[in-house]
Amino acid sequence: MRISTNQFFINGQIGMQRVQEQLSRTQQKIALSTNYLTSSENPVATTKVMIFEEQLALAEKFEENIGFATNSTELAESTLGSIVNSLQRVRELIVGANTATLSGPDYLSIADELDGIADEIAGLMNAKDGVGDFLFSGFQSSTKPFIERNGGGWEFQGDRGVRFLEVSVDTKIEISFPGRSVFVDVEASRNTLITSESEFNDPDTNAFISIGEVIDQEAFDQVYPTDYVMTFNDPPTTYNIVERSDGSPVLGESPPQPLVNATYNEGTEIRFNGASFLVSGNPSAGDTYFIESTPREDILTSIYRISEVYKDVGENINLIQTAEGAARFQTASETALNNIDAGLISVSQERSRLGTNLNQLSTLMDMSEGLRIELRDFISDIEDLDIAEAATTLSQETFILEASQASFARISSLTIFNFLR
Amino acid sequence: MANVLQVGVSALVANQSGLRTVGHNIANTSTEGYSRQQVNYVARTPTEIGQAGFLGNGVGQQGVQRVVDSFLTEELNSTANSYQRFEVLYTNASRLDDLLGDDSTGLSPTIRGFFEAIQSGAESPTSSASRQLMISQAELMVNRFHSLQERLNNQNDSINLQIETIVEQINAIARQIGELNEQIAARATNDEFSQPNDLLDQRDQLIFELSELVSVDSLEGDDRTTDIYIGNGQGLVIGNQVFGLETETSRDDASRLDINFVVQSSSFNITNNISGGELGGMLEFREEILDLVYNRMGIVAAGIMSEVNDQQQRGMDLDNEVGINFFNDLNSQTLMRSRYTPDVDNALPDDRVIEVSIDELGELLPSDYSLEFTTTGNMQYTITRLSDDTVVASNILSGVFPSTTEFDGLEVNLVSGSFSDGDRFTLRPYRTLSGDIEVQLTNIRDIAFAQPIRTSLGNGNVGTGRITQGEVMDTSTASFDRVNNALVPPIMIEFLDETSYDVLDVTDPANPVNLVPPMLNQTFTRGLSNAVFTDDENETGLTTDGTDISVVQIATAGNGYSSETIEFTTVDPETQVISRQSVTTALNDTAETTAQTLNALVGVTATGRNYAEISSILSASPMTLTFNGELLAGTDADTLRDSINNNLNLAADGISAKSDGSTISIRANTGVDFTFQVGGGTPGDSVTITTEDGAVNTVSGAFATPAITFGGKIDIFMSEGVTVSGEGALVSVLPNPISTYLGYQVEVDGAPQEGDLFFVNYNTDGFSDNRNAVAMAQLQATKILDNGEATFNESYINLVNVIGTSTNELEISREATLSIFERARADRNDIAGVNMDEEAVKLLQFEQAYNAAAQIITIARSTFDTLIRSTGG
């Protein structure tokens, strides 16, 4: 076959160029230690890597979330543990106070200790997490969940909000623990009441409603569940108390007449249907208070109420000298004990639930770590260069290049003109 | 002797030509397009010498011929053409491939980073560090979008520049071919063996170079000239006449150049007819690959802007305010109006305004569209998807603006201007989006990680009912008071019994009132999660308020409601098909009956109810009150109440009563008529009956006392697209129904008991709430784009995959066409190229022959000399 001289040189050049190109690619791959220099070399594999990397990032993020959730759950769990210990002590005190051999000052000192423990528990319930947010206040993390009320007793200010965090593709786990369901919504052994003021009350008044109590359980249970609304008239020297459901007026205890346009005597107990509470300060016209019946009592209020009973008895030991007084005292003690037990159950249940969560978190962590390692393997399998193979390829290509260079040099010098002298 | 000399001279001359041609060949060994030449020798006509036959007369030259195979030349041209096309396509595509797939330039890592920052926000929603991180990661992502857009624009600009250069090259080559044609025509003869070989070679070489730039057809004429045709038959070179190409800004895209063919003073666009070669490759890359990248990236940007903004708007920030846009608004007026280009030929004035809004993310397709008014004179326009040339919508501009058309997830509004028949527009919804996306939110307090509502339970709840934390869909409804940062109205759900509840406005916690329209006596199903509000964004509601309502009938049977035809018109939201349903009530039909009839209609829910208050009960002696045929016991409020509540017949009609000691309020959940009659007693005995609307009637006893009757009301709720009209008895002619869509939803489950309360309120100070952050973070893994099959990042990765695959294919095609081209070049060179050794051999051959010829002349001379001498010299 005839070959033109020009083509001969072109062929030599093309051949060497190709090998050089391959060589440079192989060298680059070795330098970067990667199987593919651009995604076009193997679009399927490289997009797979991108998707794996996306999943990997997600897994890493989930692990971070799991770590975060574990921390806050552990913190909550240990706080609940401390609360359980304190409640045990409360229980012991109440059981101890129930022996008939105590003197007035004994009751007072028990009451003192109870108040101290209540403060301690409130402190625990108002615990903050690592970033300074209240652990048990729900969504309002900057609102202190448990505060002391005017006139004594406790009030919960948080909400039921629960923060969740994604810990795997379709699992969310809570990282905040609203105190409402654990500490407030505790089943009471007897129906009781809870008082509150309307958010629309004149913010400038100094008036407040006491925490209230049930003084005649029988009468109270007879109309249970009934909620009441107390509204101050204009001028606020009189008030009305009506049933919330139909607006019918309530019959006061003494004197036994409807509490319509009843005269307001600051600090005087208002009693009806077994309930008792008082309003202090100078209310404004239109100020409204709610007295709601409830089957639940929060832990701090339970402690507060029994402590108040002990204080009353401590100041006037005669109160329990009568058979009726002793029975009432007995009932109060039993009620308190039952309520504290219910509180203990509630807190312990929450504790064990958090324990379950911690287990789940640790399982998820293991799974996620497994997935992460697997994904890394996948990526490495696709992406990482087999150095040995690449080195072999490199030396092979180097050899070919050298051979073609040498042979080209030899052959190209073969021309008949060399012999025409 | 002279003959011998002649023969010698002919040999001398012939071999000299041979030597010269060999020299010429050797000289042009490396000349591109040169074809080796060879001299054709022929023995001269012999001289007849009688019986002895013929004596040779030496050698003659028939001509110098180049060795070419026109088939191989054409093969070379066409293979070079396709190789160059793929070379250009591959080079440009691989640039994109490197850009999009690389971690340091691609979008993927920054999208991931952005959503990871939101995850951190979900961990600690109040932390300013995580909020700052979200903004800075968003800026990183946006910068990456911008730089990619800039690189795409640069590539577009560089293509423009290259198109200009190539067009100039084409013009220059065309001119040279024209000149060569002229020279060739002047020199060419009909003799096959006598052609201007080197000029022909030069022209072949020019046609080869032209083929590398663009596909052309060449046609050889009679006078050896070659005509060159481009596009679909435009004569670039005809003989020695040369026409040219020019570039012009595209008529429908200011950022691009089109190619025109110039004939004398006029020119016309042949861009769409250009194919092959470098130029064809450029155009193909621009249309098929660059546009795809622009559009697909734009769709990813649109998805992120729209979804993150929407979620942000469903949230609440650190100032208790409803969230504002995080990115700029995808469908701001400026952006919506930047998505089209009017054709330059549209009739003046250039005043048409079109808005293109991007609505349904899952339906978007990476294509541009053309909007064309037909020329039929009825202002009809069609919209064509350019990626596959499919008509996707057509509409008629009836003269009322805006004229709205929806297709492929987009909505096109013709807003104003003198649209006329024949108008054309190009719609490019996504072209600039990657450059348009901006982080608009700057204050970290404005990031809405919380949701604006929270729920709670009544303190006295007895049952085990639970309420969900609530989900916010839309904060632009009237429910969200953006001035006072409050929920209007705050909601109380009160259970009437285990299976029904009222939904009330609890703005005043001491005095809950009905919503407008009321939501009373709703059904609760135990064991299910009961959604409280409607999910239909366009549901409306009204309470019957016709002329007959609240008119109290005295001493007549029935409520006096006239017969009325109530008509419901339904416009199907999908198909726009209109259907009508109507109900004709009979005279005195109760609200209960009518509500039941209405309930049977499609898209209509109706609830009847009735209400009355009995007050000022004056009774000196036994007076009887008959209510709906039931004789009630007692003459004071509480006893009457008990008498009503204990009556089974009344209870069957859903009637219940409450008393506050002096006034009884009676409520019927069914909408039955109320009839009251007083009997017995003495003059002066009376009760006062007040209807819900405040119509006051005193019913007296003692004498022939007429009964009073009045009917109830109906609360009507209508699904999206349903409107109502009536004749006025119950429904005023065209009432103005109120939207009942609140923009949020809560669900109640468990087992609530009578009197249990649930509240929905504004999430004031709920800064630790991370629900919205979690919802935003979940966007990362939600398959939103590409028919709901891809997340944002997956959609982008798919783009990388598509570009990688095409680059891969193009590389293969480039390699294939390259070796075909090289083969063709080798074939051509094997025939036409110079081989040095061959020439060397010929050199020796001609040299020897030349020497021999010189010897002939020497011998002829010496023979002649001998002869002269012998004859006496």
Side-chain angles (χ1 to χ4, degrees):
Chain A
M1 196 186 79
R2 182 179 188 282
I3 287 187
S4 71
T5 305
N6 200 12
Q7 187 62 36
F8 172 77
F9 281 95
I10 291 175
N11 287 350
Q13 180 210 344
I14 290 174
M16 284 183 286
Q17 212 170 23
R18 287 233 167 111
V19 185
Q20 251 165 1
E21 209 178 294
Q22 277 170 8
L23 198 59
S24 138
R25 250 186 211 201
T26 312
Q27 194 276 330
Q28 238 178 314
K29 281 180 184 177
I30 292 175
L32 297 171
S33 180
T34 176
N35 248 336
Y36 307 108
L37 293 174
T38 63
S39 58
S40 66
E41 280 182 52
N42 188 342
V44 177
T46 41
T47 43
K48 225 183 247 173
V49 166
M50 288 175 92
I51 287 172
F52 285 156
E53 272 172 353
E54 177 89 1
Q55 288 172 352
L56 187 67
L58 212 57
E60 278 165 358
K61 195 67 218 176
F62 284 150
E63 278 171 41
E64 206 182 309
N65 286 357
I66 291 171
F68 188 90
T70 307
N71 287 345
S72 37
T73 311
E74 277 171 350
L75 181 60
E77 202 261 359
S78 75
T79 310
L80 292 180
S82 310
I83 292 175
V84 166
N85 291 341
S86 301
L87 284 178
Q88 297 286 15
R89 176 68 190 142
V90 170
R91 201 177 184 285
E92 284 164 18
L93 286 173
I94 296 172
V95 171
N98 221 4
T99 58
T101 54
L102 293 178
S103 66
D106 289 340
Y107 284 117
L108 283 178
S109 77
I110 292 173
D112 262 4
E113 191 173 348
L114 283 176
D115 288 352
I117 297 173
D119 283 346
E120 190 184 307
I121 293 179
L124 290 165
M125 290 174 178
N126 288 337
K128 290 181 172 185
D129 67 11
V131 289
D133 287 343
F134 286 106
L135 205 52
F136 297 111
S137 66
F139 287 155
Q140 299 160 80
S141 60
S142 47
T143 305
K144 203 173 180 180
F146 291 91
I147 55 159
E148 267 192 283
R149 287 171 64 130
N150 274 330
W154 299 87
E155 187 175 319
F156 178 73
Q157 288 200 316
D159 53 58
R160 285 173 190 278
V162 182
R163 264 187 293 153
F164 287 87
L165 210 54
E166 274 191 287
V167 287
S168 80
V169 174
D170 36 35
T171 315
K172 282 195 230 169
I173 207 153
E174 63 229 77
I175 51 166
S176 78
F177 314 91
R180 172 136 222 146
S181 54
V182 184
F183 309 132
V184 181
D185 290 346
V186 178
E187 207 68 30
S189 61
R190 287 154 181 273
N191 295 327
T192 178
L193 60 86
I194 182 165
T195 63
S196 58
E197 63 167 60
S198 164
E199 58 182 304
F200 296 103
N201 282 4
D202 183 352
D204 298 330
T205 68
N206 61 355
F208 60 86
I209 185 167
S210 77
I211 191 166
E213 61 182 314
V214 176
I215 47 159
D216 182 345
Q217 193 69 42
E218 209 172 316
F220 188 78
D221 286 347
Q222 216 158 39
V223 293
Y224 177 85
T226 310
D227 299 336
Y228 307 95
V229 180
M230 175 183 194
T231 314
F232 279 87
N233 299 321
D234 192 9
T237 50
T238 61
Y239 61 87
N240 298 343
I241 298 180
V242 297
E243 288 186 23
R244 176 142 88 179
S245 61
D246 58 12
S248 58
V250 166
L251 206 61
E253 204 175 277
S254 54
Q257 44 184 249
L259 292 173
V260 176
N261 293 328
T263 310
Y264 169 61
N265 295 316
E266 186 189 345
T268 306
E269 252 180 36
I270 300 167
R271 295 179 173 200
F272 56 86
N273 291 351
S276 160
F277 64 93
L278 55 86
V279 174
S280 309
N282 303 309
S284 304
D287 277 3
T288 303
Y289 298 96
F290 301 104
I291 302 97
E292 292 166 287
S293 62
T294 167
R296 288 176 278 270
E297 186 171 86
D298 74 79
I299 292 174
L300 289 172
T301 300
S302 295
I303 300 175
Y304 172 77
R305 280 188 172 142
I306 189 66
S307 157
E308 288 300 291
V309 170
Y310 291 156
K311 275 178 211 156
D312 287 348
V313 172
E315 276 161 15
N316 183 5
I317 195 83
N318 293 333
L319 281 177
I320 53 168
Q321 304 301 350
T322 64
E324 190 199 351
R328 185 176 291 168
F329 178 76
Q330 187 66 25
T331 314
S333 300
E334 277 168 17
T335 308
L337 204 55
N338 289 336
N339 287 349
I340 294 301
D341 282 347
L344 266 169
I345 290 169
S346 169
V347 175
S348 309
Q349 272 175 350
E350 178 70 3
R351 248 186 111 187
S352 66
R353 205 179 60 82
L354 294 187
T356 316
N357 278 5
L358 284 172
N359 282 342
Q360 193 192 352
L361 283 170
S362 117
T363 313
L364 282 169
M365 187 64 135
D366 290 347
M367 274 165 55
S368 180
E369 275 171 352
L371 175 70
R372 190 159 50 91
I373 290 165
E374 209 169 295
L375 284 170
R376 276 212 190 295
D377 280 353
F378 282 151
I379 292 172
S380 155
D381 279 353
I382 296 174
E383 213 178 41
D384 291 355
L385 187 70
D386 181 342
I387 298 281
E389 193 188 317
T392 316
T393 314
L394 187 75
S395 52
Q396 194 181 353
E397 284 165 355
T398 314
F399 175 75
I400 293 172
L401 182 61
E402 279 167 4
S404 53
Q405 282 168 338
S407 59
F408 180 75
R410 283 288 297 271
I411 298 169
S412 65
S413 62
L414 290 178
T415 162
I416 207 165
F417 284 103
N418 290 341
F419 305 100
L420 300 178
R421 294 180 205 281
Chain B
M1 277 316 100
N3 284 342
V4 176
L5 204 63
Q6 268 172 18
V7 168
V9 168
S10 82
L12 207 60
V13 170
N15 286 306
Q16 214 168 24
S17 300
L19 279 171
R20 182 173 164 181
T21 305
V22 168
H24 187 57
N25 280 344
I26 292 175
N28 284 297
T29 306
S30 304
T31 305
E32 283 293 328
Y34 177 78
S35 314
R36 70 191 160 101
Q37 296 176 7
Q38 55 194 30
V39 185
N40 285 310
Y41 296 103
V42 66
R44 283 182 176 169
T45 316
T47 310
E48 193 175 352
I49 48 166
Q51 294 289 318
F54 298 90
L55 264 181
N57 271 330
V59 65
Q61 297 174 48
Q62 211 172 21
V64 179
Q65 207 181 3
R66 58 184 189 136
V67 180
V68 284
D69 180 332
S70 61
F71 171 74
L72 291 180
T73 311
E74 253 175 44
E75 188 73 8
L76 180 69
N77 289 350
S78 76
T79 55
N81 179 271
S82 47
Y83 164 63
Q84 289 299 339
R85 168 178 160 232
F86 283 113
E87 167 72 24
V88 164
L89 278 168
Y90 167 73
T91 315
N92 279 291
S94 72
R95 212 172 290 162
L96 280 183
D97 182 42
D98 290 348
L99 196 63
L100 298 174
D102 194 307
D103 271 3
S104 58
T105 50
L107 270 179
S108 204
T110 59
I111 295 180
R112 200 153 59 215
F114 173 60
F115 283 104
E116 275 172 10
I118 302 179
Q119 285 274 14
S120 306
E123 271 174 19
S124 15
T126 51
S127 144
S128 50
S130 62
R131 285 168 177 264
Q132 194 56 59
L133 184 69
M134 178 175 170
I135 293 186
S136 52
Q137 288 293 334
E139 271 163 358
L140 265 180
M141 177 179 70
V142 164
N143 287 342
R144 199 54 73 78
F145 265 113
H146 288 181
S147 68
L148 279 175
Q149 180 82 359
E150 206 179 300
R151 297 287 288 270
L152 294 182
N153 289 343
N154 285 345
Q155 207 158 354
N156 186 54
D157 292 348
S158 111
I159 284 173
N160 281 341
L161 212 65
Q162 291 177 64
I163 287 176
E164 262 183 285
T165 318
I166 292 173
V167 163
E168 275 167 28
Q169 280 177 325
I170 291 174
N171 286 340
I173 291 174
R175 272 195 304 277
Q176 292 177 51
I177 291 177
E179 278 165 24
L180 280 170
N181 270 346
E182 196 171 341
Q183 292 179 31
I184 288 167
R187 286 172 177 80
T189 63
N190 283 330
D191 184 353
E192 192 61 33
F193 298 108
S194 165
Q195 299 297 339
N197 292 327
D198 296 312
L199 295 182
L200 293 177
D201 272 352
Q202 276 178 39
R203 193 178 63 190
D204 281 352
Q205 176 63 18
L206 286 171
I207 296 175
F208 167 75
E209 283 168 15
L210 191 58
S211 298
E212 285 190 315
L213 297 177
V214 66
S215 291
V216 290
D217 289 326
S218 58
L219 198 67
E220 190 146 336
D222 291 338
D223 53 355
R224 301 262 164 199
T225 58
T226 296
D227 297 343
I228 307 283
Y229 299 96
I230 195 168
N232 59 348
Q234 281 74 36
L236 190 61
V237 182
I238 311 275
N240 59 4
Q241 258 190 304
V242 178
F243 302 94
L245 303 181
E246 65 175 20
T247 56
E248 188 192 40
T249 304
S250 172
R251 63 198 303 124
D252 58 12
D253 186 349
S255 70
R256 291 187 175 176
L257 291 180
D258 270 359
I259 295 155
N260 286 354
F261 185 74
V262 189
V263 187
Q264 271 110 34
S265 56
S266 72
S267 64
F268 56 96
N269 195 322
I270 58 164
T271 317
N272 292 336
N273 300 321
I274 298 274
S275 65
E278 287 182 35
L279 189 57
M282 298 273 169
L283 297 175
E284 214 174 315
F285 171 77
R286 192 168 78 173
E287 255 169 46
E288 315 231 313
I289 298 181
L290 194 58
D291 276 359
L292 183 77
V293 177
Y294 268 125
N295 286 341
R296 292 194 64 146
M297 263 179 39
I299 288 176
V300 174
I304 293 176
M305 284 162 91
S306 161
E307 286 292 313
V308 173
N309 279 350
D310 284 357
Q311 198 57 47
Q312 171 70 21
Q313 286 187 349
R314 289 182 199 118
M316 185 187 86
D317 67 15
L318 279 185
D319 297 313
N320 284 319
E321 286 167 354
V322 165
I324 54 169
N325 274 349
F326 189 87
F327 298 104
N328 50 334
D329 184 1
L330 172 64
N331 290 322
S332 69
Q333 199 186 63
T334 322
L335 285 186
M336 284 199 295
R337 292 186 176 183
S338 71
R339 293 179 181 145
Y340 73 101
T341 320
D343 193 276
V344 285
D345 285 346
N346 289 353
L348 291 173
D350 178 15
D351 61 352
R352 285 76 149 176
V353 178
I354 299 179
E355 289 179 353
V356 181
S357 84
I358 300 171
D359 292 341
E360 302 298 329
L361 295 174
E363 294 170 24
L364 304 180
L365 294 172
S367 175
D368 295 341
Y369 298 84
S370 77
L371 188 158
E372 288 181 48
F373 276 84
T374 56
T375 47
T376 48
N378 60 356
M379 295 301 277
Q380 190 183 2
Y381 59 92
T382 57
I383 294 169
T384 310
R385 183 168 55 225
L386 296 178
S387 61
D388 56 2
D389 266 326
T390 308
V391 174
V392 287
S394 72
N395 202 344
I396 289 173
L397 176 62
S398 56
V400 184
F401 289 115
S403 172
T404 302
T405 314
E406 288 174 22
F407 56 92
D408 289 358
L410 302 170
E411 184 184 288
V412 168
N413 278 304
L414 309 188
V415 178
S416 65
S418 46
F419 289 96
S420 53
D421 282 327
D423 276 2
R424 295 181 75 246
F425 304 87
T426 307
L427 312 178
R428 288 195 185 80
Y430 318 114
R431 170 69 69 82
T432 60
L433 270 177
S434 305
D436 292 334
I437 181 173
E438 298 284 355
V439 179
Q440 191 167 290
L441 187 143
T442 50
N443 185 348
I444 58 167
R445 297 187 64 81
D446 289 341
I447 298 177
F449 280 154
Q451 284 210 347
I453 60 166
R454 65 168 174 254
T455 57
S456 57
L457 276 65
N459 283 325
N461 282 10
V462 184
T464 60
R466 287 174 304 186
I467 184 165
T468 56
Q469 298 197 347
E471 187 193 354
V472 176
M473 282 87 74
D474 183 1
T475 52
S476 67
T477 62
S479 306
F480 296 90
D481 177 346
R482 286 158 181 262
V483 178
N484 301 312
N485 298 326
L487 191 68
V488 183
I491 296 291
M492 179 172 95
I493 299 162
E494 179 176 20
F495 273 79
L496 305 172
D497 53 38
E498 290 172 6
T499 57
S500 60
Y501 59 89
D502 287 349
V503 181
L504 300 168
D505 166 351
V506 73
T507 305
D508 177 359
N511 183 27
V513 295
N514 281 350
L515 298 175
V516 184
M519 278 181 72
L520 300 172
N521 193 33
Q522 307 284 307
T523 307
F524 177 82
T525 313
R526 277 200 176 181
L528 288 184
S529 202
N530 293 258
V532 176
F533 305 109
T534 178
D535 284 325
D536 180 351
E537 289 174 39
N538 296 302
E539 191 194 78
T540 53
L542 66 112
T543 301
T544 47
D545 60 347
T547 48
D548 288 351
I549 300 284
S550 298
V551 177
V552 177
Q553 305 297 307
I554 299 172
T556 48
N559 55 21
Y561 288 170
S562 352
S563 166
E564 178 183 17
T565 301
I566 305 171
E567 185 174 77
F568 293 87
T569 310
T570 308
V571 182
D572 188 304
E574 296 288 320
T575 61
Q576 308 294 314
V577 172
I578 297 174
S579 57
R580 293 193 167 77
Q581 316 173 79
S582 65
V583 161
T584 303
T585 63
L587 175 69
N588 291 334
D589 268 357
T590 64
E592 180 184 25
T593 313
T594 309
Q596 278 165 3
T597 320
L598 294 180
N599 252 332
L601 302 181
V602 178
V604 180
T605 314
T607 321
R609 62 187 163 87
N610 207 347
Y611 181 83
E613 282 177 6
I614 306 177
S615 56
S616 310
I617 306 166
L618 296 174
S619 176
S621 52
M623 172 188 76
T624 57
L625 180 61
T626 311
F627 169 47
N628 282 14
E630 305 292 324
L631 185 64
L632 302 181
T635 50
D636 65 276
D638 287 359
T639 322
L640 285 169
R641 173 196 65 197
D642 294 343
S643 171
I644 292 171
N645 286 341
N646 294 333
N647 186 306
L648 293 178
N649 292 335
L650 293 177
D653 281 338
I655 293 171
S656 60
K658 284 179 178 179
S659 155
D660 67 359
S662 55
T663 304
I664 314 167
S665 46
I666 307 174
R667 165 179 173 180
N669 284 333
T670 51
V672 290
D673 290 348
F674 280 2
T675 302
F676 294 96
Q677 189 166 26
V678 172
T682 54
D685 288 356
S686 67
V687 295
T688 298
I689 316 261
T690 313
T691 67
E692 183 182 341
D693 288 343
V696 180
N697 285 271
T698 302
V699 188
S700 306
F703 302 106
T705 50
I708 67 161
T709 302
F710 53 88
K713 293 191 173 192
I714 310 170
D715 298 322
I716 303 173
F717 297 90
M718 292 168 288
S719 307
E720 175 175 11
V722 184
T723 50
V724 64
S725 65
E727 289 154 10
L730 295 176
V731 178
S732 57
V733 182
L734 272 177
N736 206 0
I738 295 161
S739 168
T740 54
Y741 180 67
L742 300 182
Y744 61 88
Q745 180 66 281
V746 296
E747 291 178 12
V748 178
D749 66 359
Q753 304 272 355
E754 176 185 346
D756 282 1
L757 303 177
F758 300 90
F759 299 93
V760 186
N761 232 310
Y762 202 72
N763 192 10
T764 309
D765 293 348
F767 305 137
S768 207
D769 176 9
N770 69 349
R771 282 177 290 167
N772 212 45
V774 170
M776 246 189 263
Q778 277 175 334
L779 292 175
Q780 180 182 13
T782 312
K783 297 192 184 295
I784 294 168
L785 300 178
D786 307 339
N787 263 327
E789 283 166 8
T791 66
F792 300 133
N793 217 351
E794 280 167 5
S795 182
Y796 176 76
I797 291 171
N798 287 346
L799 168 64
V800 175
N801 189 11
V802 167
I803 297 303
T805 310
S806 357
T807 309
N808 190 15
E809 283 166 10
L810 288 170
E811 189 179 9
I812 293 167
S813 303
R814 168 179 165 271
E815 292 304 316
T817 50
L818 176 60
S819 48
I820 293 172
F821 163 63
E822 280 168 353
R823 189 68 253 153
R825 185 170 58 180
D827 286 349
R828 185 247 169 221
N829 283 350
D830 286 350
I831 298 290
V834 179
N835 182 309
M836 288 286 218
D837 285 348
E838 182 185 351
E839 300 303 324
V841 171
K842 279 188 180 167
L843 197 65
L844 292 175
Q845 184 189 346
F846 287 126
E847 189 186 7
Q848 284 176 12
Y850 185 84
N851 288 341
Q855 210 60 45
I856 291 172
I857 290 172
T858 314
I859 287 170
R861 197 190 63 182
S862 69
T863 314
F864 192 62
D865 281 353
T866 310
L867 194 66
I868 293 294
R869 264 195 305 271
S870 69
T871 54

